[in-house]
Amino acid sequence: MSVSDDKRDALIAAAREASQNAYAPYSDYQVGAALLFDDGAVVTGANVENASYGLALCAETNAVSKAMTDGRRGGLIAVAVVGPDDKGDGAPITPCGRCRQVLHELAALGGTDPAIFCVGADEVRRVTLSQLLPHAFGPDSLV
Ligand code: THU
């Protein structure tokens, strides 16, 4: 399912707003994620860190967790991820490996290959989840 420019921009704005609720006192790297579903719903998340550093939860993972605990199983058509504008080289942030796998679980349940809008200070990069995670292991692998 294609996503209009307006919907893409609204999704990016939702991810950027979500990043304001990030709890990232250790890295000072605030991330927001927004998931768009085929019924028009948008579910957001932000990263949540911990004094035990390795327990940090990423924005995308928290968004998927929110959506799934709301009962969503599939229907994922697009994702926007926004990091801080003043960190890195301006290149778009891309979901970490764990988040790619977590996103794949939700997407695979509905048989979609969502667009991922990776937002940087200088550009927005559109990729698909299957480009980020080719040959993925997923729910079908266990049947
Ligand atoms: N982070 C995310 O929230 N999403 C990603 O895809 C990459 C990294 C968070 C984890 C940690 O809180 C901070 O960014 C720095 O790594």
Side-chain angles (χ1 to χ4, degrees), residues 67-109:
M68 294 192 74
T69 52
D70 282 349
R72 292 191 178 274
R73 301 287 185 268
L76 183 62
I77 56 174
V79 178
V81 188
V82 178
D85 275 349
D86 59 348
K87 294 274 170 72
D89 59 2
I93 180 175
T94 57
C96 79
R98 182 175 191 262
C99 288
R100 295 176 194 201
Q101 183 69 33
V102 169
L103 287 163
H104 177 70
E105 184 79 16
L106 178 56
L109 291 173

Side-chain angles (χ1 to χ4, degrees), residues 23-24 27-32 46-49 53 56-62 81-82 84 93-97 99-100:
Y23 174 68
S27 70
D28 193 32
Y29 191 90
Q30 295 82 10
V31 184
N47 53 330
V48 175
E49 298 184 344
Y53 297 165
L57 295 170
C58 288
E60 303 93 313
T61 290
N62 281 331
V81 188
V82 178
I93 180 175
T94 57
C96 79
C99 288
R100 295 176 194 201

Side-chain angles (χ1 to χ4, degrees), residues 8 12 79-81 89-95 100 115-128 131-132:
R8 176 202 61 201
I12 290 171
V79 178
V81 188
D89 59 2
I93 180 175
T94 57
R100 295 176 194 201
I116 315 286
F117 298 110
C118 304
V119 181
D122 298 339
E123 67 169 300
V124 176
R125 180 179 295 152
R126 181 194 184 283
V127 292
T128 60
Q131 287 174 317
L132 289 179

Side-chain angles (χ1 to χ4, degrees), residues 5 7 16 18 21 34-35 38 40 50 52 64-65 81 84 96 101 107-108 120:
D5 289 355
K7 282 198 171 150
R16 184 168 280 117
N21 285 326
L35 313 179
D38 54 7
N50 193 282
S52 178
V64 169
S65 186
V81 188
C96 79
Q101 183 69 33

